[in-house]
Amino acid sequence: MLQLDRTKYATARAVSDLQSSLEAAETKLKALETEIDAVKAAEASAKEQEMDVPMMRLALYLGIGVEFFKDEATGEYNQILAKSPARNDMELIDIEKQYSQFYYTNLCWDLCDDLVLV
């Protein structure tokens, strides 16, 4: 009789442990399914809002406080306004053909180096 009670208790405990494990696995499955749905929604949204490379660069520069101005006559960018909120400063830079894009990129980063991204 004592042996049967021990077996019954061990079996009940094993069933209880398995049920707990099953509930934990189901909870994890639901969380993963929710995450998959969120990723699919984000992917669909990204495809809808697909931007070309120049527009992404422009959005990045605007986000860090750099604005570009076009010359109305030629249609080319001829000035850059770099803002640094940390220094409460703005710099207007004239774009000249003798300097490379690399030079102007580094100059913009240097002028906005105090920027704190959130």
Side-chain angles (χ1 to χ4, degrees):
M1 185 71 164
L2 185 62
Q3 183 65 24
L4 289 174
D5 284 342
R6 285 183 184 165
T7 305
K8 181 179 170 183
Y9 176 74
T11 305
R13 185 173 177 190
V15 168
S16 177
D17 290 345
L18 288 173
Q19 285 177 338
S20 297
S21 296
L22 178 63
E23 289 174 6
E26 286 175 345
T27 303
K28 188 173 183 179
L29 176 64
K30 287 180 184 177
L32 290 173
E33 286 174 346
T34 303
E35 187 175 343
I36 287 172
D37 292 339
V39 168
K40 286 181 181 179
E43 186 178 65
S45 175
K47 286 182 181 178
E48 289 173 2
Q49 299 175 356
E50 194 169 302
M51 299 171 64
D52 59 353
V53 174
M55 290 303 295
M56 288 183 359
R57 285 183 185 153
L58 185 58
L60 172 72
Y61 280 121
L62 288 173
I64 63 170
V66 177
E67 292 182 48
F68 295 90
F69 297 102
K70 275 188 180 182
D71 183 13
E72 296 296 326
T74 63
E76 294 182 3
Y77 293 102
N78 64 348
Q79 288 184 326
I80 303 171
L81 179 65
K83 303 173 194 173
S84 177
R87 291 186 304 208
N88 198 22
D89 190 22
M90 294 169 48
E91 289 281 335
L92 185 64
I93 305 159
D94 291 321
I95 298 175
E96 300 174 9
K97 298 284 183 186
Q98 65 190 30
Y99 299 111
S100 69
Q101 291 178 354
F102 180 75
Y103 169 78
Y104 287 112
T105 302
N106 284 335
L107 183 60
C108 289
W109 280 114
D110 290 342
L111 293 172
C112 297
D113 66 350
D114 295 332
L115 183 67
V116 177
L117 298 176
V118 179

